[in-house]
Amino acid sequence: MTNKTLIVVLGPTGIGKTDLSIDIALKFNTEIISADSRQIFRELDIGTATPDSRQLHTVKQHFIKSHSIFNDYSAAKFEKEAIDKIEKLFKHYDTLVMTGGSMLYIDAVCKGIDDIPDVDKKIRNELIARYEKNGIEDLRLELKKIDPEYYSKADLKNHKRILHALEIFYSSGRKYSSLLTNPQKKRNFNILKIGLNTDRHILHQQINKRVDIMISKGLIDEAKSVYQNRKLNSLNTVGYKELFQYFDGSISYNNAIELIKRNSRRYARRQITWFRKDNKIQWFDPDDKRNILKFIEGEINKAH
RNA sequence: GGUGCCAUAGCUCAGUUGGUAGAGCAACGGACUGAAAAUCCGUGUGUCCCUGGUUCAAUUCCAGGUGGCACCA
């Protein structure tokens, strides 16, 4: 049994993961791995609720502002880079904190995802063009032909799923279904999952308030500064995509703010849905810091 | 104080010539393995203000009450 433990702090957006993870990292005198698919971009700050400079100076945090919106990123890349970083850091620490709300990124580190061949960008763009021209039915029929197994279990109304299976096939000649093994990779460290959640009404109030604070901190200007790159996937993000519509003149200012709040609430709900089925998570109220620390210490003593 | 109008889902409101009701928005549930703050699927969640009356049957009609709005004093 290893004596290395990764403490994973997860939960919906706006619940207070950053503050708690800093407290935990200070307590164990260690560093933080961020698992946040948007805070990772250096061009985004206010709208992603990235930790501020004071917080970043208090505890060293990795994968914050470490990449650019102009480079493609993915959960698979995060898995490789994060595992790499974690293994390096475990040479100096017995415990590490990982925190974030990107469900797939967390699972990529905790459980691993399959190795899937690189996708040829040209092929992806061609398929997207076909989808936009002919709709989903065309691609669906093709998937049925080349990979009936995946077709039988795929979400056939979700074009991203179908596109992905096709682009894998045309890039590598291998069926997507043959690549899916649900790996459950064995990590050489213990994983302790701390989930934060609270009454839904309170969470919604916190989310709404946080959006108002983002606006007062200058989110409008930040969104303007990246407006010209709005087509980038990295900017298909709550807090930015709504403001882009406002800049376009297609929705009002007040409408944009309301939509940011609504979409944040919905994002939080999807996170909760995802995390709910993970029975390894020990849930706490974010204010319950004492018990959280007590719980972590107890578990680490048991494991080591 | 008087008169009139209104009271139906979380909100804005339809509707039922008397047979316990439906839109929009919001909300809620779910899926998810190289785009994941993405993408996709599903769900009306209701003392029809309260109390009586008429009726086989009242959210609907009648009376009174309560609350809100408007106008007149």
Side-chain angles (χ1 to χ4, degrees):
Chain A
M1 197 67 183
T2 169
N3 69 333
K4 306 293 183 185
T5 299
L6 180 68
I7 303 163
V8 181
V9 178
L10 52 82
T13 188
I15 194 69
K17 297 185 290 293
T18 300
D19 284 341
L20 181 75
S21 59
I22 288 172
D23 287 340
I24 296 173
L26 286 174
K27 167 96 180 170
F28 291 94
N29 195 23
T30 185
E31 303 182 10
I32 294 174
I33 305 287
S34 167
D36 189 300
S37 70
R38 293 301 187 268
Q39 291 181 5
I40 200 168
F41 296 122
R42 68 177 67 98
E43 294 87 351
L44 308 182
D45 185 53
I46 298 168
T48 53
T50 300
D52 60 35
S53 56
R54 186 188 56 81
Q55 291 171 317
L56 293 174
H57 279 103
T58 307
V59 173
K60 184 144 194 202
Q61 308 194 30
H62 305 269
F63 300 100
I64 296 279
K65 290 178 176 287
S66 53
H67 294 64
S68 168
I69 56 171
F70 297 104
N71 299 125
D72 289 331
Y73 205 67
S74 68
K77 280 185 183 163
F78 180 73
E79 178 189 358
K80 287 197 189 92
E81 293 176 11
I83 290 294
D84 211 46
K85 179 68 73 180
I86 287 167
E87 282 175 354
K88 274 190 191 129
L89 290 172
F90 269 142
K91 289 186 178 138
H92 308 286
Y93 302 102
D94 286 339
T95 54
L96 281 175
V97 177
M98 182 165 85
T99 188
S102 299
M103 306 85 90
L104 188 58
Y105 282 31
I106 293 171
D107 277 1
V109 167
C110 294
K111 303 173 183 169
I113 51 183
D114 280 304
D115 279 338
I116 286 173
D118 283 337
V119 170
D120 185 326
K121 197 115 195 235
K122 235 179 79 190
I123 290 174
R124 166 172 288 197
N125 288 334
E126 280 168 15
L127 284 165
I128 291 172
R130 262 181 61 191
Y131 166 68
E132 284 170 354
K133 191 164 163 247
N134 303 329
I136 198 169
E137 190 58 27
D138 186 41
L139 299 176
R140 209 185 283 158
L141 290 172
E142 194 159 318
L143 177 65
K144 192 174 186 177
K145 240 182 287 168
I146 63 161
D147 190 351
E149 194 185 334
Y150 184 65
Y151 180 88
S152 72
K153 64 175 185 182
D155 181 351
L156 297 174
K157 291 185 175 167
N158 190 333
H159 70 276
K160 286 198 177 185
R161 299 278 136 68
I162 295 177
L163 272 171
H164 186 52
L166 290 176
E167 68 188 5
I168 296 295
F169 181 77
Y170 289 122
S171 296
S172 68
R174 300 182 62 188
K175 291 183 192 175
Y176 186 51
S177 59
S178 73
L179 298 165
L180 298 179
T181 64
N182 191 17
Q184 306 293 326
K185 291 175 192 166
K186 195 85 194 90
R187 303 302 188 195
N188 57 1
F189 46 86
N190 306 311
I191 293 171
L192 185 55
K193 287 180 179 169
I194 306 296
L196 301 183
N197 202 2
T198 189
D199 175 78
R200 187 70 61 94
H201 182 67
I202 293 172
L203 178 62
H204 284 182
Q205 284 179 328
Q206 281 174 204
I207 287 171
N208 295 341
K209 195 171 144 205
R210 193 172 70 162
V211 172
D212 291 332
I213 291 171
M214 286 175 179
I215 295 295
S216 72
K217 278 184 175 171
L219 179 58
I220 305 289
D221 284 342
E222 182 174 300
K224 266 186 198 145
S225 73
V226 290
Y227 180 40
Q228 57 181 331
N229 308 305
R230 58 178 304 181
K231 290 270 164 59
L232 294 172
N233 174 65
S234 46
L235 292 176
N236 186 186
T237 299
V238 176
Y240 299 86
K241 58 181 177 181
E242 300 86 355
L243 287 174
F244 295 159
Q245 284 181 271
Y246 162 58
F247 299 154
D248 288 343
S250 57
I251 61 174
S252 73
Y253 174 81
N254 286 336
N255 197 200
I257 307 295
E258 279 315 301
L259 286 175
I260 293 173
K261 291 176 181 175
R262 183 198 70 183
N263 291 338
S264 299
R265 281 182 244 126
R266 290 182 175 175
Y267 172 48
R269 179 155 54 80
R270 273 180 275 126
Q271 290 173 302
I272 292 166
T273 298
W274 178 292
F275 293 136
R276 202 143 40 196
K277 69 188 171 188
D278 185 341
N279 56 22
K280 299 235 171 73
I281 299 172
Q282 184 73 31
W283 290 97
F284 292 91
D285 190 279
D287 291 334
D288 200 9
K289 199 176 109 184
R290 258 189 46 181
N291 280 322
I292 294 171
L293 290 173
K294 223 166 88 184
F295 173 77
I296 294 171
E297 281 186 301
E299 290 299 309
I300 287 176
N301 288 336
K302 249 192 270 173
H304 289 188

